[in-house]
Amino acid sequence: MRLNIAIDGPVSAGKSSISDEVARRLGILHLDTGAMYRALGLKVLRDGTDPQDEEKVVATCRNLGVSVCHREDGQHTFVQGEDVTGLIRSPEVSMAASTVSRYAEVRKEMVRIQQQLAAETDMLVDGRDICTTVLPNATAKIFLTAAQEERARRRWLEMKEKGQETPFEEVLQALKERDEQDMNRPVEPLRRAPDAVLVDSTDLTFDETVETILQIVEEKRHG
Ligand code: C5P
C-alpha cells in the first residue's frame, strides 16, 4: 500500500527540516508544498502583479509551469524550467505566498499537482492543508506546532545563521501576520484535522520531535 505521511502546521514550526529528516529515515521523498506557493509568489512579484489582484494571480498560476525534483540536497523547485529554489525564501516572497494561497482557484491547481505527485510514489507531504484536503487518507497525519514566540525565535536564529540580521520583534511581527492570514482565510484555512495527531515541539529538541513523529508513523502503520 502507498505510504503517505501528511504534516501540517503554522509558520516556522520546523515542518521543513523535521519533514526532511523523517522522510530520510523512512526512505521516502519529502514534498514541501509551501515551495510551490512560494514559486507562485515569486513569479507574481517578478511580473509586477499585485498579489491582491486575484484574477491576475489565478491567470499566472495557470501558466506557472511549477515542478519539483528531488536531489541529494533536497527538493528543487522550478518555474517554467528555471530553478528558483534559492530565490523563494525571502520575507517578501513569504508574504506574497501567503497572500496568493488565499485564492480558491490557486489552491485547486496546487492541490491537483500535489495529489498527482503523492499518488506516484511513497511520500511525506508537508504544508497547511495536507491532512484536511490533499491527503485525507494519509497513513499518518500530524499537526506540528510550537508556541508563537518559540517559532519566531527559531526563525530569527535561522535568518541570523544565513547572515540576515533582522530584529527579533520584526520577525515575530511578520510571523504573527502570516499566522493570522493563514488561519483566517476563507478557503482551506490552516486548522488541525480532527484525526491529526498534535505534536507540540516547544519543549522538544529536533531529534526528540523526529523520534515522536516516527513513533506515530510506526503506530499508524503497524499498530
Ligand atoms: O510552508 P511555507 O512557509 O513555505 O509556506 C508559504 C506559504 O504558503 C504559507 O504562509 C501558506 O500561506 C502557503 N501554504 C498553503 N498551503 C500549503 C503550503 C503553504 O497555503 N499546503
Side-chain angles (χ1 to χ4, degrees):
M1 212 176 82
R2 178 72 61 235
L3 176 62
N4 279 158
I5 313 293
I7 302 189
D8 286 327
V11 177
S12 298
K15 289 192 309 294
S16 275
S17 47
I18 297 281
S19 296
D20 260 348
E21 182 58 15
V22 172
R24 194 189 66 77
R25 296 269 295 270
L26 291 169
I28 61 176
L29 294 179
H30 163 214
L31 177 65
D32 167 6
T33 61
M36 297 170 62
Y37 291 94
R38 285 171 180 273
L40 176 59
L42 175 73
K43 179 77 171 95
V44 162
L45 292 180
R46 271 183 171 178
D47 289 353
T49 299
D50 180 354
Q52 307 282 348
D53 187 335
E54 179 167 358
E55 208 173 306
K56 277 200 187 151
V57 170
V58 168
T60 306
C61 183
R62 294 218 170 98
N63 297 309
L64 188 64
V66 65
S67 60
V68 301
C69 84
H70 291 88
R71 299 198 181 139
E72 202 74 344
D73 62 346
Q75 174 175 317
H76 283 245
T77 308
F78 299 82
V79 169
Q80 285 157 358
E82 179 194 350
D83 189 341
V84 296
T85 311
L87 302 172
I88 55 176
R89 298 288 150 194
S90 71
E92 294 74 26
V93 172
S94 300
M95 206 54 210
S98 175
T99 302
V100 300
S101 71
R102 291 181 309 168
Y103 308 133
E105 287 303 312
V106 165
R107 304 205 67 82
K108 215 160 107 184
E109 178 60 10
M110 294 296 188
V111 169
R112 187 186 64 76
I113 300 170
Q114 292 156 14
Q115 287 177 332
Q116 210 168 25
L117 290 169
E120 281 166 11
T121 180
D122 289 349
M123 202 172 245
L124 183 155
V125 185
D126 92 88
R128 303 290 191 287
D129 58 342
I130 313 304
C131 300
T132 49
T133 307
V134 179
L135 299 174
N137 299 317
T139 319
K141 296 184 185 185
I142 286 132
F143 191 84
L144 178 63
T145 190
Q148 204 171 46
E149 290 260 340
E150 174 60 16
R151 288 188 281 121
R153 195 189 64 81
R154 291 177 190 171
R155 178 98 187 99
W156 176 78
L157 268 178
E158 192 184 279
M159 290 171 82
K160 202 170 157 200
E161 273 162 22
K162 285 185 192 151
Q164 299 170 5
E165 294 279 349
T166 313
F168 175 78
E169 275 308 316
E170 220 172 276
V171 176
L172 179 63
Q173 190 51 37
L175 186 133
K176 280 182 179 169
E177 274 172 38
R178 212 141 61 90
D179 267 359
E180 174 73 19
Q181 186 156 275
D182 291 349
M183 287 171 183
N184 294 306
R185 66 179 175 222
V187 190
E188 297 295 347
L190 169 68
R191 63 188 162 84
R192 176 184 162 197
D195 55 350
V197 181
L198 178 72
V199 176
D200 185 335
S201 71
T202 309
D203 298 316
L204 299 180
T205 62
F206 180 88
D207 289 342
E208 286 168 343
T209 311
V210 168
E211 289 304 329
T212 305
I213 293 176
L214 283 171
Q215 214 168 350
I216 295 165
V217 172
E218 266 323 286
E219 276 164 23
K220 295 285 176 192
R221 275 177 101 179
H222 306 296

